[in-house]
Amino acid sequence: MHITLKDSATKLDKEDIKVRYDEYNEKYFDGKLGKCKFHFYPKSTRFLGGYSNKTDKKGKITHQIWIGTYVQWTDYNLKLLLLHEMIHLYNHTVETPFWKGTLGHGRCFRRQVRRLKKEHGIIIGNYDNLTDVNGNKLKSPLWSKIITFLLDW
């Protein structure tokens, strides 16, 4: 059990991320997502998060979700980020659209964003009050503002 405090910093821990992933998979994706590995970007990397996959020589696909460590995550913002990356995984494994959901935030991605908003009131891409590990407010880069505009369009 963990306490959810919207405005307090959340410590990143792979086991906690896995628990959240399993919970969100059941609640928001009807348990359709398979296993996933979790990784943390080094503090020097300025990505909030990412989804990727790799295929080994035998054809086995490993799905991976990456989370930025230079951010002071709150439970709320971490949930939004994890759901965002889980949409990419959903698109790759369940919907399998062009590019398999790995790249971009196109039609299939936006359909899931709208579904989460309609069914659960969750607005993906609305990261509130993000700060870095030193407490400095993070400014959204231009590409992030463009993605947010396109998602809300």
Side-chain angles (χ1 to χ4, degrees), residues 79-91:
K79 178 179 183 176
L80 293 179
L81 175 85
L82 193 52
L83 286 172
H84 177 115
E85 303 312 335
M86 290 172 79
I87 291 172
H88 288 297
L89 174 57
Y90 181 88
N91 287 154

Side-chain angles (χ1 to χ4, degrees), residues 52-115:
S52 65
N53 61 71
K54 63 180 181 179
T55 306
D56 67 14
K57 291 178 182 178
K58 295 180 182 177
K60 181 182 177 213
I61 299 172
T62 302
H63 302 283
Q64 304 170 109
I65 290 178
W66 296 79
I67 299 172
T69 55
Y70 80 103
V71 177
Q72 282 189 4
W73 293 104
T74 62
D75 284 338
Y76 172 73
N77 285 326
L78 185 56
K79 178 179 183 176
L80 293 179
L81 175 85
L82 193 52
L83 286 172
H84 177 115
E85 303 312 335
M86 290 172 79
I87 291 172
H88 288 297
L89 174 57
Y90 181 88
N91 287 154
H92 182 87
T93 60
V94 177
E95 288 198 350
T96 61
F98 185 68
W99 289 110
K100 299 209 178 270
T102 306
L103 300 174
H105 298 91
R107 256 189 344 230
C108 294
F109 184 89
R110 290 192 309 267
R111 181 173 41 245
Q112 292 305 313
V113 168
R114 286 190 301 273
R115 180 186 65 79

Side-chain angles (χ1 to χ4, degrees), residues 21 25 29-35 86-87 89-90 93-94:
Y21 174 86
N25 183 20
F29 298 97
D30 297 324
K32 293 180 181 178
L33 302 180
K35 291 182 180 181
M86 290 172 79
I87 291 172
L89 174 57
Y90 181 88
T93 60
V94 177

